[in-house]
Amino acid sequence: MSRKPRLRSGTGVTMHDVGQAAGVSAITVSRALHSPDRVSPALREKILQVVEQLGYVPNRSARQLASARSHTVLVLIPSLSNTVFIDALAGIESVLQPAGYQMLIGNTHYSDSEELALLRAYLQHSPDGLLVTGLNQLPAFRQIVAQQALPAVYMMDLSQDDRPCVGFSQEAAGASMTGHLLARGKRRIAFLGAQLDERVIKRLHGYRSALQQAGCHDPALEWLNPSPSSMQMGADMLDALLAAHPDCDGIFCCNDDLAIGAIARCQQRGIALPEQLAIGGFNDLQAAAWTTPALSSIATPRFEIGAAAARMLLQQLRGETTAVQKLDLGFQLQVRAST
Amino acid sequence: MSRKPRLRSGTGVTMHDVGQAAGVSAITVSRALHSPDRVSPALREKILQVVEQLGYVPNRSARQLASARSHTVLVLIPSLSNTVFIDALAGIESVLQPAGYQMLIGNTHYSDSEELALLRAYLQHSPDGLLVTGLNQLPAFRQIVAQQALPAVYMMDLSQDDRPCVGFSQEAAGASMTGHLLARGKRRIAFLGAQLDERVIKRLHGYRSALQQAGCHDPALEWLNPSPSSMQMGADMLDALLAAHPDCDGIFCCNDDLAIGAIARCQQRGIALPEQLAIGGFNDLQAAAWTTPALSSIATPRFEIGAAAARMLLQQLRGETTAVQKLDLGFQLQVRAST
DNA sequence: TCCCAATTTGTTAGCGCTAACATGAAAAAT
DNA sequence: ATTTTTCATGTTAGCGCTAACAAATTGGGA
């Protein structure tokens, strides 16, 4: 039988080789590496030495195939270009990496159907768990998650049903900024929204209820644009808004990008902030503190949301918890010169 | 032998099951999915139908284990919070995803040793290729790459040696912005640098050589801080610089974050831009166009660098190319009101 | 007509690892 | 001293897939 040798990736050193060199069987090497307390200390020491010496690199595919556990978590976020999700990603990484889990990142581009397609595609990696942004997945998505009994944690918002989640109330946050503008004596407060994902819509609802409660809600002041947000769009929307409603005295921008563009345009147009017009943003990006005047915003615990969601998922994976967990990490109103 | 059934991930449908249902062997299913032209059209059609019907999901681990190809690329970037690398990542994704490759993202936190550790750790996934930021890896890193014959493409800069790369000359870009400030009549031009990674140092070199050529280089105007850059740092460094050198009439900030902070502080202090002080940034982030005054910067093709590097790597993987390739995608000076 | 090549499908074995069961040795309990 | 329990290690088989080889089928061309 003179078969051609197969291609080998990595160093080509296998667990069996390590075992032979250490005078034990492969399974003992496996145990020394992954469940150290099931091997005597002396032997473990020796095995680790041989591992080092031979430059052994475990083969994750083989491990995964044999154990039916991938030590992999699928993370679905709507965008890579939005700092908000990158911050959450960093939080997730800070928890999963030390725990020996690999994260697979799927960029849904804010699309339900792409989200579903990504889930399907990444199922090939048989992820042990799932971290998703938002709660509004397609029915087919939910069905797959349920059918495969895939442990999942939902990020950035709070669920009304039995899904575990980590986030804060987008509506309450929207109401909070609106309430702040009201407290500053503003009464003709507009809402500038872009992208119109579920979070923006919820902030809009918070804005609405706060204004309705104060008796000064005017639907004509809600300006919504489904395109991705940008500073340019903020500037453009400001111009359009003021052209239609010169009496507008306050603006709640659904995110800081819009707000920064709007502030810059006010600066160019010589509009006095906050006297003539107060502007509030959302997310409290780094740049919010460095506009002229500095931008009031809602600070959101993105990193911590990611980290907490990852921790919650790991608990589920380890079977440490039975109860469905929901974690409200809140938000904070950052008042600066723009209001 | 009544063994307990093993845990199964995924749907539990295997290639064998699909084969049975379609009346063929497993290998034919494999071929129908991965090398369609080796199966007759009619049969392929039937197999794909059964795949759909049974909800078959291929098991990537098994594929990888059997074929010694992982269809996975390791991407190492210094930071997740810097838009520059996220943009490159998006470019990489846009190429790898359609090609059926999975990207594993490693965040080196700007650390050589972490970079090495990540490479070692991710070797467990036996990646088919490697995309790395910069050229200054540790010797041990290079040794592993060489020893494993791991195809690699280096991003963001141009190599002097035989390593394939996609980027632009950081030095030339640094010289370009400095030359622009000189052309504006500035002579006391400072350099504000943070993080001090290899790219910042090269921009500094470009700055130096441009000033030396013009005969107005003053080492006392080079302000370097190894901490991560931020807008706050830009503001602080501006204050310190002007306190020490009130005659300074131009500043080249190694990135836009510093520049935005510096501009905001000038605004606060009533310093006239660009007459009294001209400020230039680097990378041309979105926010650069929206400061007051708008920030001049060096626009860099980050997305395209990532995409081109990924394409180059795929060529290597397919063995389509023998020659080492180097791709200079250049940069562009964006002149705005701040200079 | 037969033969050879090209094409299509199947058989066998094994990738590297770990679950489950088995065994042997040491420690604890009787 | 004997039995029971615990602990440490080994044996066997198989996870799901694909490389290599083998066989069967088809289509020309001499």
Side-chain angles (χ1 to χ4, degrees):
Chain A
M1 299 282 197
S2 69
R3 296 193 158 210
K4 282 182 195 167
R6 295 238 186 148
L7 281 172
R8 287 199 173 192
S9 59
T11 53
V13 179
T14 73
M15 207 170 248
H16 183 79
D17 300 337
V18 174
Q20 283 216 315
V24 298
S25 69
I27 188 72
T28 307
V29 178
S30 171
R31 289 201 268 250
L33 292 174
H34 299 297
S35 27
D37 44 333
R38 307 207 356 89
V39 174
S40 67
L43 193 51
R44 176 167 71 246
E45 195 55 44
K46 180 171 183 186
I47 290 172
L48 293 181
Q49 228 164 20
V50 174
V51 163
E52 189 65 30
Q53 187 186 322
L54 296 185
Y56 168 69
V57 176
N59 182 322
R60 243 178 130 112
S61 304
R63 177 159 144 83
Q64 185 166 335
L65 185 59
S67 70
R69 302 264 278 113
S70 62
H71 291 270
T72 277
V73 168
L74 174 56
V75 181
L76 294 175
I77 55 175
S79 161
L80 279 177
S81 42
N82 190 329
T83 315
V84 169
F85 306 117
I86 300 296
D87 289 346
L89 214 51
I92 293 168
E93 190 208 28
S94 75
V95 171
L96 292 188
Q97 171 97 14
Y101 277 79
Q102 169 60 42
M103 60 178 186
L104 295 173
I105 299 167
N107 179 356
T108 71
H109 299 101
Y110 288 100
S111 153
D112 284 352
S113 53
E114 245 183 276
E115 185 173 58
L116 176 59
L118 282 169
L119 176 66
R120 288 220 168 97
Y122 281 92
L123 238 40
Q124 294 194 4
H125 296 265
S126 33
D128 291 342
L130 179 62
L131 292 171
V132 215
T133 309
L135 298 157
N136 284 357
Q137 290 77 30
L138 289 176
F141 186 103
R142 299 213 205 175
Q143 196 195 327
I144 292 176
V145 172
Q147 192 183 314
Q148 312 256 338
L150 195 57
V153 175
Y154 299 80
M155 300 182 292
M156 294 298 166
D157 207 342
L158 302 175
S159 66
Q160 301 300 315
D161 49 30
D162 62 344
R163 288 177 288 175
C165 57
V166 181
F168 58 91
S169 166
Q170 300 279 347
E171 274 168 275
S176 167
M177 176 57 85
T178 312
H180 169 64
L181 292 169
L182 285 166
R184 286 289 192 255
K186 307 299 180 182
R187 284 300 173 271
R188 298 287 295 158
I189 302 170
F191 181 91
L192 295 189
Q195 190 70 61
L196 309 188
D197 57 82
E198 52 177 299
R199 287 162 293 285
V200 169
I201 297 304
K202 288 189 175 170
R203 288 170 208 162
L204 171 63
H205 288 157
Y207 153 90
R208 255 184 220 160
S209 59
L211 286 189
Q212 279 163 351
Q213 208 175 327
C216 48
H217 176 237
D218 178 359
L221 291 177
E222 293 176 2
W223 288 60
L224 305 177
N225 186 330
S227 304
S229 79
S230 66
M231 297 175 189
Q232 181 67 53
M233 181 187 283
D236 293 346
M237 288 182 89
L238 179 101
D239 285 339
L241 170 70
L242 291 188
H245 301 281
D247 63 333
C248 171
D249 59 5
I251 304 179
F252 173 22
C253 298
C254 78
N255 66 40
D256 284 351
D257 280 14
L258 291 186
I260 290 169
I263 284 193
R265 180 55 50 86
C266 286
Q267 205 65 15
Q268 291 162 6
R269 291 177 53 174
I271 297 171
L273 303 178
E275 299 77 16
Q276 196 175 342
L277 187 68
I279 295 184
F282 202 100
N283 277 326
D284 197 28
L285 304 188
Q286 188 189 180
W290 296 96
T291 53
T292 327
L295 174 65
S296 295
S297 195
I298 299 280
T300 54
R302 281 113 42 190
F303 183 95
E304 193 44 48
I305 286 175
R311 270 185 243 115
M312 195 178 282
L313 183 66
L314 289 185
Q315 278 190 355
Q316 274 192 54
L317 294 181
R318 298 195 191 108
E320 283 174 15
T321 177
T322 48
V324 170
Q325 290 185 65
K326 306 193 181 209
L327 193 53
D328 183 352
L329 292 180
F331 54 85
Q332 204 152 15
L333 176 66
Q334 286 290 343
V335 179
R336 299 203 182 86
S338 74
T339 56
Chain B
M1 298 288 188
S2 67
R3 294 192 162 213
K4 282 182 197 167
R6 293 238 188 152
L7 280 171
R8 286 198 173 193
S9 58
T11 52
V13 179
T14 72
M15 207 169 247
H16 183 80
D17 300 336
V18 174
Q20 283 216 315
V24 298
S25 69
I27 189 72
T28 307
V29 178
S30 170
R31 289 200 268 250
L33 292 173
H34 299 298
S35 29
D37 43 334
R38 310 214 346 95
V39 174
S40 67
L43 193 52
R44 175 166 73 247
E45 196 55 44
K46 181 170 182 189
I47 289 172
L48 293 181
Q49 229 164 22
V50 174
V51 162
E52 189 65 31
Q53 188 186 321
L54 296 186
Y56 168 68
V57 176
N59 181 322
R60 246 181 126 110
S61 304
R63 177 159 144 82
Q64 186 167 334
L65 186 59
S67 70
R69 303 261 281 112
S70 62
H71 292 271
T72 277
V73 168
L74 173 56
V75 181
L76 293 176
I77 54 176
S79 161
L80 279 177
S81 43
N82 190 331
T83 316
V84 169
F85 306 117
I86 301 296
D87 289 347
L89 214 52
I92 293 168
E93 190 208 27
S94 75
V95 171
L96 292 188
Q97 171 99 12
Y101 278 80
Q102 169 62 41
M103 61 178 185
L104 295 174
I105 299 167
N107 179 356
T108 71
H109 299 100
Y110 288 101
S111 152
D112 284 352
S113 51
E114 245 184 276
E115 185 173 57
L116 176 59
L118 282 168
L119 175 65
R120 288 220 168 97
Y122 281 92
L123 238 40
Q124 295 194 5
H125 295 264
S126 33
D128 291 342
L130 179 62
L131 292 170
V132 215
T133 310
L135 297 158
N136 284 355
Q137 289 77 30
L138 289 176
F141 186 103
R142 300 213 203 174
Q143 195 195 328
I144 292 175
V145 172
Q147 192 183 316
Q148 313 255 337
L150 195 60
V153 175
Y154 299 79
M155 300 182 291
M156 295 298 166
D157 207 342
L158 302 175
S159 66
Q160 300 301 315
D161 50 29
D162 61 345
R163 287 176 289 175
C165 57
V166 181
F168 59 90
S169 165
Q170 300 280 347
E171 274 167 277
S176 166
M177 176 56 85
T178 311
H180 168 63
L181 291 170
L182 285 167
R184 285 289 191 257
K186 306 299 181 183
R187 285 297 173 271
R188 298 286 296 158
I189 301 170
F191 181 91
L192 296 190
Q195 192 69 61
L196 309 189
D197 59 83
E198 53 178 299
R199 287 163 293 285
V200 168
I201 298 302
K202 286 186 177 171
R203 288 169 209 161
L204 171 62
H205 289 157
Y207 154 89
R208 256 184 219 160
S209 59
L211 286 190
Q212 279 163 351
Q213 209 175 327
C216 49
H217 175 236
D218 177 0
L221 291 177
E222 293 176 1
W223 288 60
L224 305 177
N225 186 330
S227 304
S229 79
S230 66
M231 297 176 189
Q232 181 67 53
M233 182 187 284
D236 293 344
M237 288 181 90
L238 179 101
D239 285 338
L241 170 69
L242 292 188
H245 301 280
D247 63 332
C248 171
D249 58 4
I251 303 181
F252 173 21
C253 297
C254 76
N255 67 39
D256 284 352
D257 281 13
L258 291 185
I260 290 169
I263 286 192
R265 180 55 51 87
C266 288
Q267 206 65 14
Q268 291 163 6
R269 291 178 52 173
I271 297 171
L273 304 177
E275 300 77 16
Q276 195 176 340
L277 187 67
I279 295 185
F282 202 101
N283 278 324
D284 197 27
L285 303 188
Q286 188 189 182
W290 296 95
T291 52
T292 326
L295 174 65
S296 294
S297 196
I298 299 281
T300 54
R302 280 115 37 191
F303 183 95
E304 194 43 49
I305 287 175
R311 271 185 242 113
M312 194 178 281
L313 183 65
L314 288 184
Q315 278 191 356
Q316 276 192 52
L317 294 181
R318 297 194 192 107
E320 281 173 16
T321 176
T322 48
V324 170
Q325 290 186 64
K326 305 192 183 211
L327 193 54
D328 183 353
L329 293 179
F331 55 86
Q332 204 152 15
L333 177 66
Q334 286 290 343
V335 179
R336 299 204 181 86
S338 74
T339 55

